[in-house]
Amino acid sequence: TLSNTILVQQSTQTLSANYATTNVSCNGGSDGTVSIVGSGGIPPYTISLLNANMNQLSAGYYTYMIADTFSCVYTDSFLITEPLSISVTSNTTNVSCNGGNDGAANLVISGGTPSYIIDWGGANNLALLAGTYIYTITDANLCDTSGSITIIEPSSIIVSSVITPANCHDSFDGSAIINI
């Protein structure tokens, strides 16, 4: 007699998946990633991320689908975030006297990922002469932004005079007018 045996394999586990994400490092970037691992069902798995590359994600919600050998499907979503853009507010102190060097600048930084490095392009933020100073701020994720501050000084004091000499040696009819 002929005997045919059919083996039917059925998974005892429901198809599911776990994921791990890496968020975007700089505001507006696209270096976010996701790693998706299937479980249950009958391997091998087919994983698809709708309209995206798993290693070049920008901030947003994403939906993925995983299917096993028998086309059982599991769908889930995940979120990729990004830091706020680096924002800078400057507080400046202008030079007090023409030609002086007592100007100063203080930058208040928010956004990005602390801690911050401020590069003044060889200058420092204290004992500044009048002029424009360019700065670059780099955060812990190596995201950067640049800007400038301007320190001003008062005009120099200009003195002019008009002198009218006295008519005689002992007379008091001479004058001096000083314009500042």
Side-chain angles (χ1 to χ4, degrees):
T1 69
L2 288 174
S3 170
N4 287 339
T5 305
I6 298 175
L7 176 62
V8 176
Q9 182 179 8
Q10 183 176 5
S11 173
T12 60
Q13 293 183 351
T14 304
L15 179 63
S16 65
N18 292 313
Y19 62 85
T21 60
T22 302
N23 292 317
V24 174
S25 60
C26 297
N27 185 274
S30 60
D31 62 346
T33 64
V34 65
S35 173
I36 303 169
V37 177
S39 63
I42 305 293
Y45 307 110
T46 302
I47 300 171
S48 64
L49 184 59
L50 305 177
N51 299 321
N53 177 327
M54 290 189 192
N55 295 315
Q56 295 176 341
L57 301 174
S58 54
Y61 283 97
Y62 293 89
T63 299
Y64 68 90
M65 183 177 68
I66 184 168
D68 71 0
T69 299
F70 294 109
S71 298
C72 296
V73 175
Y74 175 81
T75 302
D76 197 4
S77 297
F78 60 90
L79 173 65
I80 297 290
T81 64
E82 66 185 346
L84 295 173
S85 61
I86 298 172
S87 177
V88 181
T89 303
S90 62
N91 298 316
T92 59
T93 302
N94 291 318
V95 174
S96 60
C97 295
N98 186 275
N101 69 340
D102 61 346
N106 182 38
L107 302 179
V108 178
I109 306 165
S110 62
T113 305
S115 65
Y116 308 104
I117 296 172
I118 303 171
D119 179 4
W120 286 95
N124 68 39
N125 63 326
L126 302 173
L128 298 175
L129 298 167
T132 299
Y133 296 88
I134 297 172
Y135 60 82
T136 300
I137 298 169
T138 305
D139 75 359
N141 288 341
L142 303 179
C143 309
D144 61 13
T145 190
S146 296
S148 65
I149 55 103
T150 300
I151 301 293
I152 59 174
E153 65 184 347
S155 299
S156 61
I157 298 173
I158 299 173
V159 178
S160 64
S161 61
V162 176
I163 299 174
T164 304
N167 288 325
C168 295
H169 173 62
D170 288 339
S171 76
F172 294 101
D173 60 350
S175 66
I177 301 172
I178 299 175
N179 294 312
I180 301 176

